[in-house]
């Protein structure tokens, strides 16, 4: 056994090596000092071959296992669950949870750094293996946490923007839908023109801001493709609802525009037919006035037939005109005057035809009586002529002729 004086320097060196602070010297300096120490000490090989069951190595191993167990527990806590992307409250809570996990991980960073430094100081295979496993687990967990935190931050921003933009588009569509809901088709020209202006305004607004719906739909499709591991049913539902409402609104607006234009066209057709009927009445009145000087039964019959054929058209125009006056509450002065003129002139035209037909009938009766008398006279003369005897000579013939002159 060597004397105590011989062991003392190496015992001091072992204590200094075991209790050295990680900040007192670098791993390079420690590695550089080791050969020098070993070369000057006959016990260097025995010091380097100290089994790992010594207190520093055992304590290091326990700390390593404890840290790895804690990292494994934290990794299980960091397992992501499927989130409803449009639920900003849920995404916000999950983001806060991952921030807390990252904070917990950062709070253990000094423990990790101390463990790594101790492993460098121990400089054996077991310490190296523990250090590498700790660093690998730490790095993997840190990357997972940071990646999910970044994803959740983006998700929260995207969800908030999507909800805000979706609410704006929904409110805009609701305003236009309210303008079309329950709107009937006007019966007067003023109401129809006002409704057509409103529909045209809605059409212009749809064309002007329709690209916002298209962009929102593209954003929804993009978010659905990005967050494939989370629940994007809310995004798909929002996309379908808004695009469906926009399409239905466009179709309803187009259909309403067609119905309003058809009603206005019908009103214009009525005005045109009424004007044409009044023109025809003027022509018929002129024809009757000319017939009064030349009473001809054939022409009177033609006019009477034409008036009878137009009677159904007259009743239709009169009924439509009165209906329009009812819709306008008798405020359409022009239409009211036209309807009154139509009724008055039609009544006058019928009276004129009846009077003219009566006169023509009376004239025909007188002519009939005169014609009958003429026929009777002719028949009498024929009988008288047939009863005459023709003379046999010129004297008798001359005598008979003088008697019947």
């Amino acid at each position: 056994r060597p004397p105590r004086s011989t062991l003392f320097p190496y015992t001091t060196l072992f204590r200094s090596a075991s209790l050295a602070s990680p900040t007192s010297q670098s791993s390079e300096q420690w590695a550089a000092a080791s050969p020098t120490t070993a070369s000057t000490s006959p016990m260097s090989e025995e010091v380097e071959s100290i089994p790992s069951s010594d207190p520093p190595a055992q304590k290091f191993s326990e700390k390593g296992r404890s840290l790895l167990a804690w990292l494994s527990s934290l990794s299980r806590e960091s397992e992501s669950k499927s989130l409803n992307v449009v639920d900003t409250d849920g995404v916000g809570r999950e983001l806060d949870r991952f921030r807390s996990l990252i904070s917990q991980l950062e709070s253990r960073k000094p423990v990790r750094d101390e463990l790594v430094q101790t492993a460098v100081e121990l400089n054996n295979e077991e310490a190296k293996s523990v250090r590498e496993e700790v660093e690998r687990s730490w790095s993997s967990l840190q990357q997972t946490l940071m990646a999910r935190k970044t994803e959740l931050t983006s998700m929260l921003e995207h969800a908030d923007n999507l909800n805000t933009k979706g609410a704006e588009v929904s409110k805009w569509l609701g305003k236009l839908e309210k303008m079309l809901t329950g709107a009937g088709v006007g019966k007067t020209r003023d109401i129809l023109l006002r409704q057509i202006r409103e529909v045209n305004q809605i059409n212009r607004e749809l064309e002007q801001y329709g690209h916002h719906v298209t962009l929102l739909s593209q954003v929804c499709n993009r978010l659905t493709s990005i967050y494939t591991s989370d629940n994007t049913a809310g995004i798909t539902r929002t996309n379908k609802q808004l695009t469906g409402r926009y399409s239905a609104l466009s179709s309803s607006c187009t259909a309403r525009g067609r119905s309003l234009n058809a009603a206005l066209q019908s009103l214009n057709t009525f005005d045109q037919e009424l004007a044409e009927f009044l023109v025809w009445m003027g022509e018929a009145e002129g024809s009757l006035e000319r017939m009064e000087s030349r009473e001809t039964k054939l022409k009177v019959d033609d006019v009477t037939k034409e008036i009878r054929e137009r009677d159904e058209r007259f009743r239709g125009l009169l009924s439509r005109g009165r209906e329009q006056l009812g819709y306008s509450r008798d405020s359409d002065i022009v239409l009211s005057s036209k309807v009154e003129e139509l009724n008055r002139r039609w009544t006058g035209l019928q009276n004129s035809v009846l009077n003219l037909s009566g006169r023509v009938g009376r004239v025909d009766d007188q002519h009939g009586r005169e014609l009958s008398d003429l026929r009777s006279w002719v028949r009498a003369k024929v009988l008288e002529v047939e009863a005459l005897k023709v003379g046999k000579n010129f004297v008798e013939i001359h005598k008979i002729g003088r008697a019947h002159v």
Side-chain angles (χ1 to χ4, degrees):
R1 179 177 181 180
R4 181 176 179 83
S5 59
T6 306
L7 289 176
F8 181 76
Y10 303 102
T11 304
T12 305
L13 179 61
F14 179 76
R15 287 202 193 98
S16 64
S18 301
L19 302 178
S21 173
T23 57
S24 60
Q25 57 185 348
S26 64
S27 58
E28 291 81 0
Q29 292 172 337
W30 176 263
S34 297
T36 305
T37 305
S39 62
T40 57
S41 174
M43 296 291 293
S44 59
E45 292 182 2
E46 295 181 8
V47 173
E48 292 179 357
S49 61
I50 292 176
S52 59
S53 60
D54 63 281
Q58 185 177 2
K59 187 176 181 181
F60 170 79
S61 180
E62 291 175 356
K63 286 185 177 180
R65 287 194 301 270
S66 176
L67 183 58
L68 287 174
W70 181 83
L71 290 174
S72 178
S73 175
L74 192 65
S75 178
R76 288 192 298 270
E77 291 183 25
S78 66
E79 291 178 356
S80 300
K81 59 182 180 179
S82 180
L83 295 176
N84 184 5
V85 178
V86 295
D87 182 12
T88 54
D89 293 337
V91 175
R93 288 192 297 270
E94 186 69 2
L95 179 59
D96 291 339
R97 189 172 76 87
F98 268 81
R99 285 173 177 167
S100 175
L101 293 177
I102 293 174
S103 178
Q104 293 179 38
L105 185 66
E106 292 297 324
S107 67
R108 288 298 185 97
K109 190 174 181 181
V111 177
R112 184 209 64 177
D113 293 341
E114 181 182 358
L115 190 69
V116 171
Q117 185 63 36
T118 303
V120 173
E121 293 172 356
L122 291 177
N123 194 22
N124 56 45
E125 291 297 328
E126 183 180 358
K128 181 180 180 182
S129 176
V130 172
R131 185 197 69 185
E132 290 177 352
E133 186 175 358
V134 168
E135 289 180 341
R136 182 170 59 251
S137 299
W138 186 284
S139 177
S140 176
L141 180 58
Q142 187 179 39
Q143 290 178 4
T144 301
L145 292 176
M146 294 303 296
R148 185 57 174 169
K149 173 180 173 292
T150 303
E151 185 181 38
L152 290 173
T153 303
S154 300
M155 185 186 298
L156 182 61
E157 182 179 358
H158 290 157
D160 185 64
N161 292 337
L162 179 63
N163 291 338
T164 302
K165 190 63 178 179
E168 292 177 359
V169 173
S170 180
K171 182 179 179 181
W172 171 66
L173 291 174
K175 181 193 71 173
L176 300 183
E177 289 168 345
K178 186 177 180 181
M179 294 175 65
L180 290 178
T181 302
V185 178
K187 302 298 183 179
T188 63
R189 186 179 301 276
D190 294 339
I191 296 178
L192 282 173
L193 292 176
R194 176 175 57 80
Q195 290 178 337
I196 289 174
R197 285 194 296 268
E198 291 176 354
V199 170
N200 291 337
Q201 175 62 30
I202 295 175
N203 266 325
R204 285 192 296 269
E205 197 165 343
L206 286 173
E207 293 176 358
Q208 184 177 0
Y209 299 104
H211 67 280
H212 288 280
V213 180
T214 303
L215 292 176
L216 185 63
S217 178
Q218 293 175 354
V219 169
C220 290
N221 294 330
R222 182 170 176 269
L223 294 180
T224 303
S225 63
I226 291 176
Y227 302 113
T228 55
S229 59
D230 292 287
N231 183 8
T232 57
I235 298 177
T236 304
R237 184 172 55 253
T238 300
N239 187 15
K240 289 183 178 180
Q241 287 179 352
L242 294 180
T243 54
R245 288 174 62 187
Y246 178 79
S247 300
L249 184 61
S250 299
S251 300
S252 299
C253 191
T254 302
R256 177 162 175 76
R258 283 198 297 264
S259 62
L260 292 176
N261 286 319
L264 183 61
Q265 182 63 32
S266 176
L267 195 59
N268 293 334
T269 301
F270 165 72
D271 292 341
Q272 184 178 357
E273 291 177 353
L274 180 60
E276 292 175 353
F277 195 85
L278 291 175
V279 170
W280 172 83
M281 288 181 64
E283 295 175 353
E285 289 168 348
S287 299
L288 291 177
E289 290 177 358
R290 290 191 297 270
M291 289 179 189
E292 290 179 355
S293 59
R294 298 193 304 270
E295 296 173 349
T296 305
K297 181 173 177 55
L298 181 60
K299 291 184 178 180
V300 172
D301 290 341
D302 292 341
V303 174
T304 303
K305 181 180 178 182
E306 188 175 0
I307 289 176
R308 288 175 180 173
E309 291 175 350
R310 298 268 182 165
D311 185 66
E312 184 176 357
R313 168 57 65 184
F314 162 76
R315 289 197 301 270
L317 291 174
L318 184 63
S319 176
R320 177 72 184 276
R322 288 174 176 173
E323 183 181 2
Q324 289 298 130
L325 287 176
Y327 291 140
S328 63
R329 299 180 181 178
D330 298 328
S331 61
D332 194 338
I333 300 176
V334 176
L335 180 60
S336 178
S337 63
K338 286 184 178 180
V339 171
E340 291 177 0
E341 180 184 0
L342 175 68
N343 193 23
R344 174 177 53 79
R345 291 177 63 182
W346 180 260
T347 303
L349 186 62
Q350 287 184 325
N351 293 334
S352 298
V353 170
L354 291 175
N355 293 334
L356 187 57
S357 298
R359 288 200 302 270
V360 170
R362 289 193 297 271
V363 170
D364 288 344
D365 291 342
Q366 183 179 358
H367 288 170
R369 289 192 299 270
E370 292 178 354
L371 183 59
S372 178
D373 294 341
L374 180 60
R375 287 175 179 173
S376 298
W377 178 82
V378 170
R379 283 196 298 269
K381 291 300 180 181
V382 169
L383 293 175
E384 186 179 349
V385 171
E386 290 178 351
L388 291 177
K389 296 181 178 180
V390 182
K392 296 180 179 180
N393 52 41
F394 178 76
V395 175
E396 291 179 357
I397 293 173
H398 181 68
K399 185 179 178 179
I400 292 172
R402 290 180 62 187
H404 290 83
V405 172

